[in-house]
């Protein structure tokens, strides 16, 4: 397949590049492999930044879950392991396949989930509901590498007004927040509570503010609450470790809209992923009668019994949401261009590929929770071979899902 390339690529002979490759459970290797060559419908990108997500840690420690199982290949991409990981990516196009028409060399871009395109769900625009979808780093090589390729249908250009910066790698979790808000049916003027102010929660708070809503952020880390208040991402912040959350939230909501008295938020988003679904139960208890609860988290462990009569008796609606599609990513980019979402303050550090496990994963599993997103710059010099699973000793229980962004478990009356 012939490719169209930018001037930089034309002057550079085909060579190898560094990539962090998943070979199996607890087996990530930093390898020098041939640079990918785009097929007719693919785009090759020089990776600028790739953020490390909680899902990446889970895949390494207890996977593969989303990554192709050993001995299998994805029916859309044909890829299998070993596979380059990393799905929160921003980069600059260096080559395009002959059939590509929507992007050109030199453009900055981000990546969204895509699927079969032909089924009932895809035709409705509900890509995450398709039973055959593709995310970079899980179903094909991802962005923890110097270069990657991805099918044009999942490549979203970024406006020239957005210069290179690590925060653009968070377009992907911003798009996840956009989809969650869409699925909630959020209307301007409504009151929203965001339970869990990690990176996703704080991005979701910004998207809700951009939609014209009043936002209450709830977390057990004062660091998160201070950041949200400092940047105006919320109207009120509640500390679950020192305040009676149900009482405080109800007091904040009472009389806050035309529906007086309002006994809780119109919409509660659970972004905390409390073990056993504890935070989901809390979210349900906080929502007003007739309100909506959106489960944004991936819980990883069986959910403890929910009092379904409390849902039926108050006519609450529970909504699940997963990942995002192209329209969600395009909206996320628009919000960043307009300055309505600012992900830069959520970048807690920039590391090299060789430090992903020993620095990135280790910090994410740390009980201190003094960070938001760790971002990788593949152009930084590597310090040697990446650490192995031994670097994470004592930070997770063998056989259990790690929960890097979960808040400490608490009784509903306390959180």
């Amino acid at each position: 397949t012939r490719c169209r390339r930018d001037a930089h690529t034309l002057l550079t002979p085909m060579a190898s590049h560094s990539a962090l490759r998943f070979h199996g459970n607890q087996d990530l290797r930093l390898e020098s492999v041939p640079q990918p060559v785009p097929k007719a419908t693919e785009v090759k990108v020089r990776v600028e930044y790739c953020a490390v997500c909680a899902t990446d840690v889970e895949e390494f420690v207890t996977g593969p879950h989303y990554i192709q199982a050993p001995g299998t290949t994805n029916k859309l991409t044909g890829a299998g392991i070993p596979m380059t990981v990393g799905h929160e990516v921003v980069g600059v196009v260096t080559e395009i396949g002959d059939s590509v028409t929507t992007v050109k060399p030199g453009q900055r871009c981000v990546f969204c989930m895509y699927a079969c395109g032909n089924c009932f769900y895809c035709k409705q625009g509900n890509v995450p509901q398709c039973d055959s979808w593709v995310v970079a780093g899980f179903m094909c090589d991802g962005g923890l590498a110097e270069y990657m390729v991805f099918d044009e249908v999942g490549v979203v250009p970024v406006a020239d007004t957005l210069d290179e910066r690590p925060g653009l790698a968070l377009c992907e979790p911003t798009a996840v927040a956009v989809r969650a808000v869409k699925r909630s049916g959020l209307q301007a003027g409504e009151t929203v509570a965001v339970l869990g102010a990690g990176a996703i929660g704080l991005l979701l708070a910004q998207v809700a503010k951009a939609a014209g809503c009043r936002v209450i952020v709830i977390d057990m880390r004062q660091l998160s609450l201070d950041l949200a208040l400092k940047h105006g991402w919320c109207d009120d912040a509640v500390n679950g470790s020192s305040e009676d959350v149900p009482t405080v939230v109800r007091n904040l909501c009472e009389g806050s809209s035309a529906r007086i008295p309002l006994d809780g938020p119109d919409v509660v988003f659970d972004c905390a992923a409390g073990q056993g679904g504890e935070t989901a139960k809390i979210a349900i208890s906080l929502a007003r009668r007739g309100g909506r609860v959106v489960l944004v988290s991936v819980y990883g462990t069986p959910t403890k019994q929910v009092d379904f009569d409390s849902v039926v008796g108050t006519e609450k609606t529970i909504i699940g949401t997963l990942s995002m599609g192209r329209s969600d990513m395009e909206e996320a980019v628009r919000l960043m261009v307009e300055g309505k979402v600012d992900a830069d303050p959520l970048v807690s550090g920039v590391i090299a590929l060789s430090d992903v496990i020993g620095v990135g994963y280790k910090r994410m599993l740390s009980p201190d929770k003094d960070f938001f997103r760790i971002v990788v710059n593949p152009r930084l010099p590597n310090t040697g071979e990446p650490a192995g699973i031994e670097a994470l000793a004592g930070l997770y229980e063998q056989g259990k899902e790690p929960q890097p962004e979960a808040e400490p478990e608490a009784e509903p009356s306390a959180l």
Side-chain angles (χ1 to χ4, degrees):
T1 301
R2 293 184 297 109
C3 301
R4 286 165 280 174
R5 308 178 181 183
D6 66 7
H8 172 82
T9 305
L10 286 171
L11 294 173
T12 305
M14 185 58 64
S16 61
H17 73 136
S18 295
L20 196 63
R21 310 269 286 168
F22 181 91
H23 284 258
N25 178 250
Q26 301 181 8
D27 186 3
L28 271 178
R29 307 176 196 174
L30 182 57
E31 299 178 321
S32 180
V33 295
Q35 289 185 22
V37 176
K39 298 175 184 176
T41 62
E42 291 181 335
V43 173
K44 180 179 178 181
V45 167
R46 182 170 65 253
V47 176
E48 291 180 319
Y49 298 101
C50 181
V52 179
C53 172
T55 308
D56 297 321
V57 183
E58 292 161 6
E59 288 293 320
F60 172 62
V61 175
T62 63
H65 302 295
Y66 292 110
I67 293 178
Q68 284 299 128
T72 69
T73 57
N74 183 270
K75 60 183 179 182
L76 290 182
T77 67
I81 62 173
M83 185 176 294
T84 303
V85 294
H87 61 280
E88 298 182 4
V89 191
V90 60
V92 174
V93 177
T94 61
E95 300 178 34
I96 58 176
D98 277 349
S99 300
V100 174
T101 60
T102 58
V103 294
K104 58 186 179 181
Q107 279 189 301
R108 182 165 288 108
C109 61
V110 289
F111 306 89
C112 65
M113 170 191 286
Y114 70 88
C116 77
N118 299 313
C119 71
F120 169 82
Y121 301 104
C122 285
K123 288 179 178 178
Q124 288 189 321
N126 290 320
V127 170
Q129 295 170 17
C130 179
D131 65 0
S132 178
W133 38 264
V134 175
V135 176
F138 296 123
M139 294 85 188
C140 64
D141 287 337
L144 283 176
E146 294 179 76
Y147 293 90
M148 65 173 282
V149 297
F150 204 62
D151 196 279
E152 175 186 22
V153 71
V155 179
V156 177
V158 174
D160 293 338
T161 54
L162 291 176
D163 297 327
E164 176 187 340
R165 59 178 185 267
L168 289 180
L170 275 63
C171 278
E172 195 272 354
T174 302
V176 171
V178 167
R179 181 169 179 81
V181 167
K182 285 182 182 177
R183 287 187 55 75
S184 75
L186 200 62
Q187 300 294 318
E190 289 192 308
T191 298
V192 167
V194 179
L195 189 61
I200 291 282
L202 291 176
L203 289 167
L204 197 150
Q206 294 182 63
V207 175
K209 286 289 288 182
C213 295
R214 181 188 178 196
V215 177
I216 303 168
V217 169
I218 306 165
D219 202 276
M220 299 181 75
R221 296 184 300 175
Q222 193 60 42
L223 172 70
S224 296
L225 305 179
D226 290 343
L227 190 67
L229 289 168
K230 174 184 176 181
H231 292 282
W233 299 339
C234 68
D235 298 279
D236 300 282
V238 183
N239 191 319
S241 64
S242 60
E243 299 179 82
D244 182 344
V245 171
T247 301
V248 173
V249 170
R250 283 193 186 90
N251 288 340
L252 289 171
C253 291
E254 189 172 4
S256 64
S257 79
R259 298 176 300 278
I260 299 174
L262 192 64
D263 55 307
D266 297 287
V267 186
V268 181
F269 294 91
D270 179 19
C271 302
Q275 291 188 359
E278 281 297 319
T279 50
K281 292 171 63 177
I282 295 167
I284 293 169
S285 73
L286 289 177
R288 68 166 173 85
R289 294 186 298 275
R292 291 99 75 198
V293 175
V294 183
L295 307 180
V296 186
S297 302
V298 176
Y299 296 91
T301 54
T303 301
K304 295 178 181 177
Q305 183 66 41
V306 172
D307 180 3
F308 291 106
D309 283 342
S310 70
V311 177
V312 173
T314 56
E315 295 193 325
K316 296 178 183 179
T317 301
I318 302 175
I319 302 166
T321 183
L322 174 72
S323 194
M324 47 76 208
R326 186 179 185 91
S327 64
D328 306 311
M329 182 63 85
E330 290 172 342
E331 176 71 3
V333 171
R334 182 187 69 80
L335 289 170
M336 287 195 175
V337 168
E338 295 177 357
K340 294 178 179 178
V341 170
D342 181 7
D344 291 338
L346 298 175
V347 176
S348 301
V350 179
I351 61 175
L353 284 169
S354 57
D355 295 326
V356 167
I357 299 172
V359 177
Y361 289 6
K362 187 173 182 178
R363 191 173 179 189
M364 293 186 76
L365 289 170
S366 168
D368 295 336
K369 299 291 185 287
D370 60 346
F371 72 97
F372 295 99
R373 268 295 195 270
I374 308 298
V375 175
V376 178
N377 179 349
R379 296 161 294 172
L380 291 177
N382 293 310
T383 57
E385 291 299 316
I389 189 66
E390 66 279 355
L392 309 181
L395 296 177
Y396 72 98
E397 291 184 55
Q398 187 70 35
K400 291 188 177 182
E401 295 283 341
Q403 300 217 348
E405 293 198 17
E407 297 302 325
E409 203 166 342
E411 293 301 318
S413 60
L415 184 52

